[in-house]
Amino acid sequence: MSWHQTHITLRPRQRGFHLIDDEVLTQLPQLGYYKVGLLHLFIQHTSASLTINENADPTVRMDMESHFNHFVPERQSYYRHDYEGDDDMPAHIKSSTLGCEVTIPVSQGRLQLGTWQGIYLGEHRDHAGSRAIVATLHGQLLE
């Protein structure tokens, strides 16, 4: 069994849900050496999230953003934590709701996502910078 860990930097994005498969795979060429295993991705931020969902129709990402903005509205009188603006506390709630990690099976050097699945970055801030992900691979190497 082999372990590999690296840090991936995602380019800054606007608020919303974004497919990041290609950006992750570009920065993780070691994936190709794994016969079977798991890729664990952990985002090191409290105002962004990772999840897996529809990768073909961009309206799904738009609907996800619309839903979470309705589900967790800004400028609520009960929010006390608003040091960085109206999107501050809602971003933390969205991050906790969706989560900061995903684990994906690996087989023959490829992610085993379903046909219509992709890795989403949920960017919950209006003015976010680049995002950092810790990528950990564990499994059996190809012979």
Side-chain angles (χ1 to χ4, degrees), residues 10 20 41-43 48-52 98-102 119-122 133:
L10 301 177
I20 59 168
L41 301 174
F42 176 84
I43 193 162
S49 59
L50 295 175
T51 191
I52 295 174
L98 287 161
C100 58
E101 61 187 334
V102 294
I119 307 166
Y120 280 20
L121 165 68
I133 292 178

XYZ file of all heavy atoms in Angstrom, residues 10 20 41-43 48-52 98-102 119-122 133:
151
model
N -6.561 25.981 -5.918
C -7.591 26.295 -6.910
C -7.574 27.787 -7.199
O -7.436 28.596 -6.280
C -8.976 25.899 -6.388
C -9.190 24.433 -6.026
C -10.591 24.240 -5.463
C -8.975 23.536 -7.239
N -14.524 21.296 -10.570
C -13.079 21.455 -10.400
C -12.304 20.184 -10.762
O -11.098 20.114 -10.530
C -12.730 21.896 -8.965
C -13.216 20.877 -7.920
C -13.276 23.298 -8.699
C -12.668 21.108 -6.529
N -10.160 14.449 -0.617
C -9.930 15.883 -0.819
C -10.524 16.641 0.368
O -11.688 16.429 0.722
C -10.596 16.354 -2.116
C -10.138 15.675 -3.389
C -10.992 16.131 -4.576
C -8.660 15.948 -3.653
N -9.706 17.510 0.956
C -10.113 18.294 2.115
C -9.816 19.761 1.841
O -8.664 20.130 1.610
C -9.348 17.823 3.356
C -9.624 18.634 4.584
C -10.738 18.362 5.368
C -8.783 19.669 4.968
C -11.000 19.115 6.512
C -9.039 20.427 6.101
C -10.154 20.147 6.877
N -10.841 20.606 1.849
C -10.644 22.037 1.603
C -10.333 22.731 2.928
O -11.008 22.501 3.936
C -11.852 22.670 0.879
C -11.495 24.061 0.366
C -13.100 22.665 1.738
C -12.429 24.590 -0.702
N -16.074 27.797 2.140
C -16.222 27.104 0.855
C -16.456 25.636 1.174
O -16.220 25.186 2.303
C -14.972 27.273 -0.003
N -16.940 24.884 0.202
C -17.263 23.485 0.446
C -16.900 22.625 -0.760
O -16.637 23.132 -1.850
C -18.757 23.339 0.753
O -19.532 23.812 -0.331
N -16.897 21.322 -0.531
C -16.708 20.337 -1.589
C -17.896 19.379 -1.576
O -18.347 18.966 -0.502
C -15.420 19.538 -1.377
C -14.110 20.305 -1.469
C -12.944 19.382 -1.100
C -13.907 20.889 -2.859
N -18.366 19.019 -2.750
C -19.432 18.036 -2.867
C -19.365 17.432 -4.263
O -18.619 17.908 -5.123
C -20.819 18.667 -2.579
O -21.797 17.632 -2.455
C -21.242 19.658 -3.630
N -20.106 16.378 -4.474
C -20.163 15.723 -5.779
C -21.593 15.804 -6.276
O -22.539 15.523 -5.535
C -19.689 14.259 -5.679
C -18.214 14.235 -5.303
C -19.946 13.512 -6.998
C -17.645 12.867 -5.040
N -22.731 21.577 3.594
C -22.263 20.751 2.479
C -21.038 19.922 2.828
O -20.866 18.816 2.329
C -21.962 21.632 1.271
C -23.211 22.157 0.580
C -22.889 23.361 -0.275
C -23.858 21.061 -0.230
N -20.166 20.465 3.643
C -18.987 19.727 4.078
C -17.702 20.211 3.439
O -17.692 20.893 2.422
N -16.597 19.808 4.065
C -15.277 20.263 3.642
C -14.455 19.146 2.998
O -13.267 19.319 2.746
C -14.527 20.838 4.844
S -14.347 19.664 6.193
N -15.081 17.990 2.735
C -14.299 16.878 2.206
C -15.151 15.950 1.348
O -16.365 15.865 1.524
C -13.675 16.084 3.342
C -14.705 15.482 4.286
C -14.082 14.845 5.511
O -12.911 14.418 5.444
O -14.768 14.762 6.529
N -14.469 15.275 0.421
C -15.060 14.192 -0.361
C -14.017 13.091 -0.487
O -12.809 13.356 -0.467
C -15.536 14.639 -1.769
C -16.701 15.616 -1.675
C -14.415 15.224 -2.584
N -16.796 16.875 -9.352
C -16.440 17.454 -8.060
C -16.765 18.941 -8.097
O -16.309 19.661 -8.987
C -14.941 17.255 -7.753
C -14.547 15.784 -7.878
C -14.603 17.810 -6.369
C -13.043 15.563 -7.929
N -17.559 19.379 -7.148
C -17.949 20.785 -7.050
C -17.139 21.484 -5.965
O -17.004 20.968 -4.853
C -19.401 20.931 -6.591
C -20.496 20.753 -7.586
C -20.321 20.082 -8.785
C -21.759 21.248 -7.296
C -21.377 19.922 -9.660
C -22.814 21.093 -8.157
C -22.623 20.424 -9.350
O -23.671 20.261 -10.211
N -16.685 22.683 -6.287
C -16.285 23.653 -5.278
C -17.508 24.528 -5.047
O -18.033 25.128 -5.999
C -15.126 24.519 -5.769
C -14.872 25.791 -4.952
C -14.364 25.453 -3.560
C -13.928 26.724 -5.670
N -17.969 24.593 -3.813
C -19.001 25.553 -3.457
C -18.285 26.794 -2.942
O -17.715 26.775 -1.852
N -6.582 22.922 -1.132
C -7.103 21.581 -0.870
C -5.933 20.665 -0.547
O -4.902 20.700 -1.226
C -7.867 21.036 -2.094
C -9.155 21.829 -2.314
C -8.156 19.547 -1.946
C -9.947 21.393 -3.530
